[in-house]
Amino acid sequence: MGDVLLVSCPYTDARVTRLTRREVVVEWPWWEVDPECDWIEWNGQVALAGDPASYDWDLELFRTDPPPPHLEVGAVCQVGIPPTVVHVMSVERMDPPLETGRLPRLGTQVMVLRAGQSHDPDLEWQGYEIAPADGIPIALDLLFRPYACLVAGDEVADAAGRAWRFDAPWDWHPFDGQEPSEPTWPLSLLTRDGRADDAAATVVARATRSGSHEHELARWVELTQARPTRLVVVRDPARQPNH
């Protein structure tokens, strides 16, 4: 959570099977039907956002070439992702992988928002799902990872003498029960996975010797053009995305 990525996917030929005011449906050039899944039937097609004025258009990463207004049913277009900056809202791993009617089955899912979009707690559904190992040649290039020296669950002490649990870059929990603000650098790692880790403590001390929480936040906001949140997304298995 919090990673800033540059996402892209090479444009690949796909045939248009249906057009509506809001969607472009194409024969997906990736994935295969899962013959062992007897409760979901996938027809080999995927619906993409087709209306630039719609809410879904701003969430959708895939685009067609030519754009939707110039497509015709039966025509061959290209489908891909132009280089797009996104930030990670959540990462979920399924064991065993989730049945979706398609192969590969869903083992890891990353929920992202494109630059300029912030999490809105009033929305029931927000974000775009990427499955890094689902056979689509999506490139995920890491631009920035705030607090790269820490992992979720780390316990640290800050320069002001407060002890904290780190859950995500903008999700800190002070042990003193006072209002969380932000830790004062440099930081000292107390425990990782519930025990002392001298090697990791050296890395944390070195990484936070200069800079500040405010600097990490400013860099993240500069890249994402978004507001930070203490977001933890829980995926609803009953809800399936268009693809």
Side-chain angles (χ1 to χ4, degrees):
M1 178 183 167
D3 282 356
V4 183
L5 309 173
L6 181 67
V7 180
S8 61
C9 178
Y11 277 80
T12 303
D13 287 348
R15 190 174 68 88
V16 179
T17 61
R18 186 161 57 91
L19 291 169
T20 70
R21 187 176 63 84
R22 297 177 58 88
E23 293 182 332
V24 175
V25 182
V26 299
E27 292 179 347
W28 204 233
W30 306 285
W31 299 339
E32 298 177 5
V33 173
D34 185 349
E36 302 299 322
C37 180
D38 57 6
W39 64 284
I40 301 178
E41 238 181 86
W42 181 54
N43 64 1
Q45 301 178 22
V46 165
L48 305 175
D51 179 5
S54 71
Y55 172 77
D56 289 340
W57 180 266
D58 289 334
L59 297 181
E60 177 74 67
L61 295 182
F62 282 94
R63 296 290 188 243
T64 62
D65 184 19
H70 304 286
L71 296 176
E72 295 181 357
V73 173
V76 174
C77 66
Q78 289 200 315
V79 176
I81 302 176
T84 305
V85 176
V86 301
H87 55 99
V88 175
M89 297 170 67
S90 69
V91 179
E92 185 174 2
R93 294 174 176 84
M94 280 69 78
D95 186 15
L98 187 67
E99 290 186 7
T100 61
R102 309 178 298 266
L103 293 176
R105 292 186 175 182
L106 186 59
T108 301
Q109 182 169 263
V110 182
M111 184 76 79
V112 302
L113 279 176
R114 65 170 63 238
Q117 296 178 352
S118 302
H119 169 58
D120 185 345
D122 293 329
L123 292 178
E124 181 181 355
W125 184 260
Q126 187 183 22
Y128 189 86
E129 298 170 346
I130 295 175
D134 72 348
I136 302 176
I138 294 178
L140 302 173
D141 298 315
L142 181 65
L143 298 180
F144 178 55
R145 172 171 291 171
Y147 282 99
C149 61
L150 297 179
V151 298
D154 279 356
E155 297 179 351
V156 305
D158 72 2
R162 298 182 77 188
W164 303 76
R165 187 184 75 248
F166 169 83
D167 287 328
W170 324 127
D171 198 1
W172 289 82
H173 301 272
F175 290 172
D176 59 18
Q178 301 301 311
E179 281 297 317
S181 51
E182 61 274 335
T184 304
W185 289 23
L187 305 177
S188 302
L189 182 66
L190 301 175
T191 66
R192 174 166 293 176
D193 295 326
R195 60 182 181 274
D197 186 326
D198 292 341
T202 299
V203 172
V204 172
R206 184 183 302 121
T208 60
R209 187 176 301 153
S210 61
S212 65
H213 177 89
E214 291 82 359
H215 182 270
E216 295 283 281
L217 176 59
R219 175 62 175 153
W220 187 87
V221 169
E222 176 187 13
L223 289 170
T224 66
Q225 297 299 302
R227 299 183 307 275
T229 66
R230 306 175 91 191
L231 173 66
V232 177
V233 173
V234 178
R235 182 176 183 275
D236 180 359
R239 179 185 174 95
Q240 295 292 329
N242 287 334
H243 46 279

